[in-house]
Amino acid sequence: MEILILHGPNLNLLGERDTAQYGALTLTDIEERLRSEAQRLDIQPRFFQSNHEGVLIDSLHEARHWASGVLINPAGLTHTSVALRDAIEAIPVPTIEVHLSNIFAREPFRRESLTAQACVGVIAGFGWNSYILGLHALTELNKRDNPGA
Ligand code: DQA
């Protein structure tokens, strides 16, 4: 199972940005942990981070040719981007949204997710483990949709 793990704006600064909220691990640290969990689950992940909305949209479009699942942390675009939401909806690939922090327990402007409306589900508030849980959720989804595969 090949999946895309997509990180939105400012997540390249993890480890130095608001560590009280997002933890001390860098994106590379998180990706290392994801890589080893993915290996255990027999998943082949491809990682991508961009600070640019259009580039994230392009990578979702490309994923429709090869990925059987997407894990996305749209970061700040979660709360603002109709275009990213539409891109998730436009591709026939099950997508799970993840957040390090519990966006529903933060400032009012973070409590709405436009992108989640196009996703199968959301995992938020478990720090870097949100991504690990997301990986497991994609595995379960794949088993459900492809029984016997
Ligand atoms: C975030 C939550 C967003 O509100 C914020 O803009 C981020 C990170 C999270 O993972 O908790 O950049 O997506």
Side-chain angles (χ1 to χ4, degrees), residues 72-86 88-89 95-99 101-124:
I72 185 169
N73 184 347
L77 294 171
T78 305
H79 320 292
T80 61
S81 178
V82 173
L84 192 58
R85 178 217 178 276
D86 286 351
I88 296 168
E89 190 179 60
T95 299
I96 293 178
E97 179 167 312
V98 299
H99 296 282
S101 64
N102 179 358
I103 55 170
F104 305 104
R106 297 183 61 192
E107 305 97 315
F109 69 86
R110 291 188 205 275
R111 291 183 197 155
E112 188 183 7
S113 170
L114 298 185
T115 44
Q117 296 167 28
C119 291
V120 179
V122 183
I123 298 165

Side-chain angles (χ1 to χ4, degrees), residues 4-85:
L4 172 65
I5 301 184
L6 199 52
H7 311 282
N10 303 306
L11 293 174
N12 54 312
L13 297 183
L14 285 179
E16 50 184 290
R17 165 193 180 214
D18 196 353
T19 51
Q21 198 63 253
Y22 301 124
L25 296 189
T26 65
L27 198 56
T28 309
D29 295 332
I30 294 176
E31 288 183 351
E32 262 169 33
R33 288 166 194 222
L34 278 167
R35 228 183 280 279
S36 70
E37 189 65 6
Q39 200 170 11
R40 239 174 43 80
L41 294 169
D42 201 21
I43 291 176
Q44 287 79 50
R46 291 190 207 174
F47 299 99
F48 187 65
Q49 188 275 332
S50 177
N51 294 320
H52 305 280
E53 187 176 23
V55 176
L56 292 165
I57 291 170
D58 287 344
S59 108
L60 283 168
H61 289 181
E62 277 163 30
R64 80 189 193 283
H65 297 304
W66 62 268
S68 12
V70 175
L71 217 54
I72 185 169
N73 184 347
L77 294 171
T78 305
H79 320 292
T80 61
S81 178
V82 173
L84 192 58
R85 178 217 178 276

